[in-house]
Amino acid sequence: MAGIVVVGGGFAGVWSAASAVRLARSHGVDVPVTLVSAGDDLVIRPRLYQAEPDRMRVALDRILGPIGVRRVAATATGIDTARRTVATVGRDGTAGEIGWDRLVLATGSRLIRPTLPGAELLHDVDTLPAAAALDAHLHRLPETPPRDGRFTAVVVGAGFTGLEIATELVDRLRAIAAKRAAGERVRVVLVERADVIGPELGAGPRPQILGVLSSLGVEQWVGASLAAADADGVELSDGTRIPAATVVWTAGMQASPLTAAIPGERDRLGRLEVGDELQVSGVPGVYAAGDTAAAAAEPGHRVMQSCQHALQLGKFAGHNAAADLLGLAPAPFAATPYVTCLDLGSTEAVFTNGWDRTVVSTGETAKARKRKVNELWIYPPVDDADELLRQADYRFSHRQIGEPQVA
């Protein structure tokens, strides 16, 4: 038996693998489960906007090793759904091929980088290497010659990620400047092409967001986009020139390009259309989870490309892939109620409930929740097979220990 192959080592991939093992073991069956990932770690991607991003990872072998998941350290380069194989390239450049009986595609999403003059100068926090490069760049700023904009950061995109990195950068830049350039101006500018900050977050949390941005001194530039960047600053689409040594791009996400290897329909984000059981529509034996899945969360709403939904989708996809292989009844995907917890700097956050993002809490109450999300709830158990399999149950949520899962 080739078993179940999970492609992708993020939240959805990890929980898909664990959930598949859990169901098989609960029926006394040993089903081979293989996880294909180019990296050795689960990157805690929702935390990459924070300082010291290199800490934001957990060894995959410490998570999945105790339950016997085989890990292949390679990049998946293609999928043949007719032959049921995954093409891979190892770290030494060796081509390989892995057969599967059931496949879970959980290769996530990636930032859409712009094609504009100076695009190579833009930083982002989409991947661990990129976030680490930004962190190193910030710490090198005091070593550069004093100039206008040396401690100015322009953040492009005022969505969830843009707001978190912009508010985070205020204290990070101030701390760096205070050590070797005390008194030099620190400036964070948030640029949004829509006419409001946080357009996709809706009106509910906007007053709180705007209030925090104002208190932190984050400048807001709406109705404009980035036109060009160079070593000395940026030019906006309205002709405005902003001297800046740091530019962070956060605008636009797209599902992993590996979704194109699956002969299924895709939405505008490149996500694969899936049915209630997360099987790719019209492609037997192939399931999608996390940011590659265009699944219904509830009537009128699809899942978000978020940690909250990646965790849940992974558990259902792994369970159903194993159920399909073993001839068991599948579990229709059912998302927990949608919530968000937006970080807004060192002391602020805003927690919302529902698709209209009704504000539930702000300030220290929301900040305490966000700390739990970032530092506890989204981390899978390590070196603990029993606890991992307990949490891999698709019915498990943090409601069982007093709190819901949060993105």
Side-chain angles (χ1 to χ4, degrees):
M1 178 189 290
I4 297 168
V5 172
V6 177
V7 184
F11 290 104
V14 163
W15 286 111
S16 291
S19 184
V21 171
R22 178 194 171 277
L23 181 64
R25 288 192 182 179
S26 71
H27 286 78
V29 181
D30 184 16
V31 171
V33 177
T34 300
L35 184 131
V36 181
S37 176
D40 295 327
D41 302 311
L42 165 65
V43 175
I44 310 302
R45 196 177 180 194
R47 298 191 66 185
L48 293 182
Y49 67 94
Q50 295 181 299
E52 301 180 77
D54 194 57
R55 300 180 296 116
M56 313 309 182
R57 54 183 172 174
V58 183
L60 286 167
D61 288 342
R62 293 189 63 192
I63 303 168
L64 297 173
I67 61 171
V69 172
R70 173 190 174 218
R71 185 171 67 86
V72 175
T75 299
T77 58
I79 297 169
D80 188 327
T81 56
R83 295 178 54 241
R84 296 202 167 190
T85 58
V86 175
T88 64
V89 174
R91 292 175 182 170
D92 61 357
T94 302
E97 189 174 85
I98 301 171
W100 48 271
D101 294 309
R102 300 295 182 274
L103 178 77
V104 179
L105 184 66
T107 43
S109 59
R110 65 178 184 176
L111 185 69
I112 302 172
R113 297 209 34 115
T115 54
L116 50 80
E120 71 280 1
L121 300 174
L122 306 183
H123 291 276
D124 67 72
V125 291
D126 190 49
T127 65
L128 183 55
L134 171 62
D135 198 51
H137 162 82
L138 295 175
H139 282 90
R140 286 194 301 268
L141 290 175
E143 302 169 7
T144 63
R147 61 185 174 89
D148 189 17
R150 179 163 65 150
F151 293 103
T152 294
V154 175
V155 176
V156 185
F160 204 99
T161 302
L163 287 165
E164 292 201 321
I165 186 63
T167 51
E168 168 82 8
L169 281 173
V170 174
D171 280 349
R172 281 171 74 177
L173 280 170
R174 286 174 179 169
I176 291 168
K179 289 181 179 180
R180 294 175 57 184
E184 195 163 336
R185 185 185 184 191
V186 170
R187 186 182 179 198
V188 177
V189 183
L190 186 58
V191 177
E192 170 56 52
R193 68 179 178 179
D195 59 0
V196 293
I197 294 295
E200 72 273 27
L201 294 173
R206 190 167 295 128
Q208 175 67 16
I209 293 169
L210 294 177
V212 173
L213 292 176
S214 178
S215 68
L216 290 174
V218 175
E219 301 173 41
Q220 303 150 49
W221 211 282
V222 299
S225 56
L226 184 66
D230 56 46
D232 296 316
V234 301
E235 183 177 330
L236 303 184
S237 57
D238 62 4
T240 301
R241 173 77 184 179
I242 302 175
T246 306
V247 188
V248 184
W249 180 269
T250 72
M253 299 295 292
Q254 194 78 8
S256 160
L258 204 57
T259 57
I262 307 296
E265 296 295 322
R266 284 171 286 279
D267 70 359
R268 64 179 183 84
L269 298 176
R271 301 182 299 180
L272 289 159
E273 299 285 352
V274 296
D276 291 343
E277 297 158 15
L278 303 186
Q279 181 172 286
V280 177
S281 300
V283 189
V286 178
Y287 295 78
D291 290 357
T292 63
E298 53 189 75
H301 294 284
R302 290 193 171 189
V303 294
M304 302 291 287
Q305 289 180 310
S306 68
C307 179
Q308 174 184 355
H309 285 145
L311 292 168
Q312 298 167 26
L313 288 161
K315 294 177 184 182
F316 276 90
H319 176 97
N320 287 337
D324 188 19
L325 187 60
L326 298 174
L328 302 172
F333 176 66
T336 57
Y338 180 59
V339 296
T340 61
C341 200
L342 176 69
D343 215 351
L344 293 171
S346 59
T347 63
E348 293 284 344
V350 57
F351 174 67
T352 70
N353 190 27
W355 295 96
D356 59 354
R357 296 184 173 87
T358 301
V359 175
V360 176
S361 62
T362 61
E364 183 52 40
T365 300
K367 187 67 177 182
R369 178 183 288 267
K370 185 64 174 181
R371 290 192 188 104
K372 287 183 179 178
V373 171
N374 276 1
E375 299 168 15
L376 178 62
W377 294 341
I378 63 176
Y379 280 75
V382 296
D383 306 322
D384 191 337
D386 291 341
E387 181 59 19
L388 181 68
L389 294 179
R390 185 180 81 90
Q391 293 189 25
D393 187 337
Y394 66 85
R395 293 161 293 193
F396 176 89
S397 81
H398 282 87
R399 289 176 184 271
Q400 294 174 245
I401 55 174
E403 299 287 354
Q405 291 176 338
V406 184

